[in-house]
Amino acid sequence: MLSLVNLSLAYGGPPLFDKTSMEIQPGDRLALIGRNGSGKSSLLKVISGEVPPDAGERILQGKPLVATMPQEIPELPGKSVEEALRDQLSDQHLDDWEVEARLHKCLSDLEMSEETPYPTLSSGQKRRVLLMACLVREPDILLLDEPTNHLDVEAIQWMESVLMNFKGALLFISHDRSFIRALAKSILDLDRGKLTRWNCDYDTYLIRKEEALEAESKQNAVFDKKLAQEEAWIRQGIKARRTRNEGRVRHLLKMREEHRQRRSKTGNVALNVTASQQASGHKVINAEEISAEYEGQLVFKPFSCEILRGDRVGILGPNGCGKTTLIKILLGKLTPPSGTVTHGTNLQVAYFDQNREVLNDAASIVENISDGNEFVEVGGQRKHIVSHLKDFLFTSEQAQAPIHNLSGGERNRLLLAKLFTRPFNVLVMDEPTNDLDLETLELLEEQLDQFDGTLLLVSHDRTFIDNVVTELLVFEPDKTIRPIVGGYGDYLTFKKRSQAPTKPAGQTDKSTTKKGKPQKARRFLNREQRELDELPALIEALEAEQEQIAADLANPEKLKSDPEFGATAKIRLDEIDTILHEKYARWEELEALKKELT
């Protein structure tokens, strides 16, 4: 339906894409991924026809209708939800009955009143309307730029279900791995100006991409060795010059140019999430029957919890339910209308604020994190401020520039750079994953996995939650907060089990009734109690083994003495991870059963 042929585009620096070609065919479901600043949004604008390329052609076959949902949310002042949708049909010359039919279907899917003023909606609700404004046109090709940004899990799942039913071709940019896994059949990878299509799912792409990067690295090493040999030859003395092969000289000049034009892979952020040398007390936060209100309305019902040193707690719920309020109450920044919060000893708290209020737009990047100092301390080491910023992919020139032009991803990187310049043993992160590219996300996950302090995390990134936390506090629709052992997958399992249909009153369960005798009351069995008692020690042993294997993998001497250890250790780590998920789920199941029966 749409082809790009030898497309090039640059904005003063290296080309965002250079002689790029691609096709969009009926039924395609493509995820466009790449580093922050690699040119993904620009490519989407060229595909939509919004931005002309510097060179190359954009060819449409059969006049397909292309609809685009931008990353920036337009205001649409004075418009109702219905008017925002109706405006999209003004140029399609449809019969009145078809206009009304399309509007009715989209408004039904939105589950919003058609008269609701669009400007009064939350950013998440506006994104829902914008998606429907695209779909009401019934496009052949749908382009989405970061559609899940700042959406809660419920809204993301709604969007997934809507897009699953979309019959046209779909091309979207996203850093949400769960979203990509759910929707993408193929991956478009924009890397250093080169666009590559991988006709496989996301997880297969990751494996193949890693293999391709390893092959590229080996090929570059061979090339560089050959170039060094040729450079040594050209520098030989007068005798060698008399016999110099001019063809060889021309080949050397060509190799020099090829090396000059080679674009190195963008570096990774040098994250170092290290807990303070001063450990907190065993008890970090104890909350007793705390609640919250806003303008006289209940935010959440009385709730108690105890957070201990080393706990990794995720806070999950829809936008506006009170997650940030809960964090501020737990940290002592807000006083609850009821209940008490007590803190343990030696707490050093680092707080990643989703609104980035600690950043000063009028100040430079350096001024935002230096506090007037030329050096900062990171992970117990003294470091020059510019060197520290380079670890977070900011150049020396950027360091002195004001921050008001930074992208969302760059602001998040700056906030991380600021956060990690001070010692902490309690890390609180409120939506840290917004706008971060996939490489930085995964690196942050790795660092948080090694962090041995206490973690409180608010996130709508389901994969990130599963990979980082070990327990959840979930905001339920009835304004209760439910503790769940495990990550997001464990919460889904619990939710599915709790929503399973129950037998109508009076219905007999044949499996527990024998020969018409009255059914005995179910009790918590001795073997179930023994299993419950043994689970903590079993889990502790598995986690200890997990830590030991991780330590051995980080030991060069161990790997040198046992070359096969790396492969067998990875297999065992995967086994332990699976077993731990099962054991935590079983622990939760037995605890719930015991509570129910006693």
Side-chain angles (χ1 to χ4, degrees):
M1 292 188 290
L2 185 146
S3 300
L4 304 182
V5 182
N6 290 328
L7 227 67
S8 297
L9 182 70
Y11 291 120
L16 293 175
F17 33 94
D18 190 16
K19 296 181 180 179
T20 288
S21 298
M22 65 163 285
E23 293 179 344
I24 298 179
Q25 300 171 356
D28 271 347
R29 306 180 79 82
L30 303 165
L32 174 58
I33 65 177
R35 299 299 297 270
N36 287 339
S38 63
K40 301 185 298 296
S41 294
S42 297
L43 179 58
L44 213 65
K45 289 176 181 177
V46 171
I47 293 172
S48 70
E50 181 182 344
V51 172
D54 295 336
E57 291 183 274
R58 171 183 177 267
I59 302 171
L60 297 176
Q61 300 286 349
K63 297 182 179 179
L65 178 61
V66 181
T68 304
M69 178 177 161
Q71 186 173 352
E72 300 80 18
I73 300 176
E75 290 304 317
L76 305 183
K79 298 287 185 181
S80 68
V81 169
E82 181 187 4
E83 288 168 337
L85 299 182
R86 190 180 292 275
D87 286 351
Q88 298 300 312
L89 300 175
S90 59
D91 63 345
Q92 288 198 268
H93 309 294
L94 302 172
D95 292 332
D96 289 346
W97 68 266
E98 188 170 358
V99 170
E100 297 306 320
R102 289 193 189 185
L103 288 173
H104 177 75
K105 182 182 184 306
C106 287
L107 288 167
S108 175
D109 288 342
L110 272 175
E111 300 176 352
M112 289 183 194
S113 169
E114 59 193 44
E115 299 174 354
T116 305
Y118 172 86
T120 65
L121 299 176
S122 68
S123 59
Q125 291 171 323
K126 286 178 180 176
R127 283 195 182 276
R128 289 194 186 203
V129 173
L130 291 175
L131 177 59
M132 281 303 167
C134 290
L135 295 179
V136 75
R137 295 172 60 81
E138 297 188 357
D140 301 295
I141 300 173
L142 179 59
L143 307 176
L144 308 176
D145 192 351
E146 294 287 2
T148 64
N149 252 11
H150 308 282
L151 294 186
D152 57 38
V153 172
E154 182 182 347
I156 293 171
Q157 290 175 325
W158 172 87
M159 186 173 285
E160 282 178 5
S161 66
V162 169
L163 292 174
M164 286 284 194
N165 294 320
F166 175 62
K167 304 302 181 187
L170 173 65
L171 170 57
F172 64 94
I173 299 170
S174 182
H175 298 140
D176 185 323
R177 290 159 292 178
S178 296
F179 191 76
I180 294 171
R181 288 185 173 105
L183 291 173
K185 293 181 180 177
S186 300
I187 306 295
L188 287 176
D189 175 24
L190 185 56
D191 182 11
R192 292 164 286 169
K194 182 180 178 183
L195 186 68
T196 308
R197 176 166 174 155
W198 303 77
N199 289 316
C200 57
D201 60 60
Y202 177 68
D203 291 302
T204 305
Y205 152 77
L206 290 177
I207 296 169
R208 293 180 182 174
K209 173 72 172 180
E210 186 63 31
E211 292 170 350
L213 288 174
E214 288 180 12
E216 177 188 338
S217 178
K218 291 176 182 178
Q219 185 177 350
N220 285 344
V222 171
F223 179 93
D224 292 346
K225 183 177 180 181
K226 176 67 175 174
L227 177 60
Q229 291 170 344
E230 294 300 291
E231 293 286 5
W233 170 78
I234 200 73
R235 289 194 298 270
Q236 287 178 1
I238 297 295
K239 182 179 178 181
R241 293 186 187 188
R242 291 192 187 123
T243 60
R244 184 177 298 163
N245 182 310
E246 292 303 321
R248 190 172 177 182
V249 172
R250 287 194 297 273
H251 181 62
L252 171 59
L253 295 176
K254 184 179 177 182
M255 290 182 72
R256 283 176 176 173
E257 179 62 17
E258 187 176 338
H259 186 271
R260 186 185 68 81
Q261 292 186 359
R262 183 197 298 169
R263 290 171 66 176
S264 300
K265 192 175 187 304
T266 305
N268 280 327
V269 172
L271 283 175
N272 185 13
V273 186
T274 306
S276 167
Q277 294 181 351
Q278 182 180 17
S280 69
H282 179 63
K283 289 186 178 181
V284 176
I285 300 172
N286 185 64
E288 293 285 348
E289 293 297 307
I290 58 171
S291 65
E293 294 178 358
Y294 180 72
E295 295 184 350
Q297 297 295 315
L298 183 69
V299 176
F300 57 83
K301 295 177 182 177
F303 161 75
S304 300
C305 71
E306 185 178 55
I307 298 174
L308 304 178
R309 184 178 63 230
D311 281 353
R312 313 171 71 77
V313 183
I315 301 175
L316 188 65
N319 286 338
C321 69
K323 300 185 296 296
T324 301
T325 299
L326 173 61
I327 280 182
K328 289 182 176 180
I329 289 175
L330 292 176
L331 294 180
K333 295 178 180 292
L334 288 177
T335 302
S338 68
T340 59
V341 175
T342 55
H343 290 165
T345 56
N346 300 328
L347 299 193
Q348 295 175 315
V349 179
Y351 184 24
F352 184 102
D353 166 33
Q354 67 161 322
N355 295 320
R356 307 172 186 128
E357 291 176 355
V358 297
L359 297 181
N360 179 2
D361 273 14
S364 69
I365 290 176
V366 163
E367 290 167 342
N368 261 281
I369 68 171
S370 66
D371 293 328
N373 300 313
E374 192 175 348
F375 292 87
V376 293
E377 187 168 313
V378 182
Q381 295 183 338
R382 193 167 179 261
K383 206 165 194 176
H384 192 276
I385 189 72
V386 175
S387 175
H388 176 59
L389 284 169
K390 284 182 178 178
D391 286 344
F392 288 81
L393 310 184
F394 294 106
T395 64
S396 302
E397 294 76 19
Q398 281 180 301
Q400 304 302 328
I403 71 167
H404 57 78
N405 288 328
L406 293 182
S407 68
E410 289 170 328
R411 281 174 174 263
N412 265 16
R413 289 208 310 268
L414 179 60
L415 194 52
L416 289 172
K418 182 179 180 70
L419 198 67
F420 301 147
T421 57
R422 58 204 66 188
F424 57 87
N425 49 37
V426 178
L427 179 57
V428 183
M429 308 194 86
D430 193 352
E431 294 290 1
T433 64
N434 284 338
D435 304 307
L436 292 181
D437 58 38
L438 291 167
E439 285 84 350
T440 307
L441 264 179
E442 290 170 355
L443 188 61
L444 180 58
E445 282 178 356
E446 291 174 12
Q447 287 294 309
L448 291 178
D449 187 52
Q450 298 171 23
F451 175 61
D452 55 7
T454 305
L455 174 68
L456 272 70
L457 171 72
V458 175
S459 179
H460 298 307
D461 187 320
R462 293 158 289 175
T463 302
F464 192 79
I465 291 171
D466 266 336
N467 291 343
V468 170
V469 308
T470 56
E471 54 190 295
L472 288 172
L473 299 177
V474 182
F475 282 71
E476 298 283 23
D478 64 353
K479 300 187 185 298
T480 59
I481 299 177
R482 180 184 297 278
I484 298 286
V485 175
Y488 183 74
D490 300 289
Y491 170 61
L492 286 184
T493 301
F494 166 82
K495 198 172 179 181
K496 185 177 180 180
R497 191 168 62 240
S498 64
Q499 292 175 347
T502 56
K503 299 185 188 304
Q507 181 174 328
T508 304
D509 188 340
K510 295 179 181 178
S511 65
T512 56
T513 305
K514 295 183 180 180
K515 298 180 182 180
K517 292 183 179 180
Q519 181 181 343
K520 291 184 178 180
R522 169 77 158 89
R523 63 183 180 82
F524 197 62
L525 304 175
N526 289 336
R527 61 177 175 79
E528 291 172 329
Q529 182 62 56
R530 283 196 301 273
E531 183 183 2
L532 181 60
D533 292 340
E534 292 168 359
L535 274 171
L538 178 59
I539 289 171
E540 189 175 339
L542 286 166
E543 289 178 337
E545 183 183 355
Q546 200 175 42
E547 290 177 5
Q548 183 58 53
I549 292 174
D552 288 341
L553 282 170
N555 183 353
E557 295 301 321
K558 175 70 175 178
L559 296 174
K560 187 176 179 181
S561 63
D562 186 358
E564 296 181 359
F565 173 73
T568 56
K570 185 180 185 308
I571 293 171
R572 179 55 182 161
L573 282 175
D574 289 342
E575 289 175 351
I576 293 174
D577 192 53
T578 301
I579 295 169
L580 280 172
H581 271 289
E582 292 172 353
K583 296 304 178 187
Y584 272 118
R586 180 60 174 160
W587 191 358
E588 178 190 340
E589 182 182 14
L590 288 172
E591 287 278 17
L593 180 62
K594 183 177 181 181
K595 185 177 181 181
E596 178 186 341
L597 298 178
T598 57

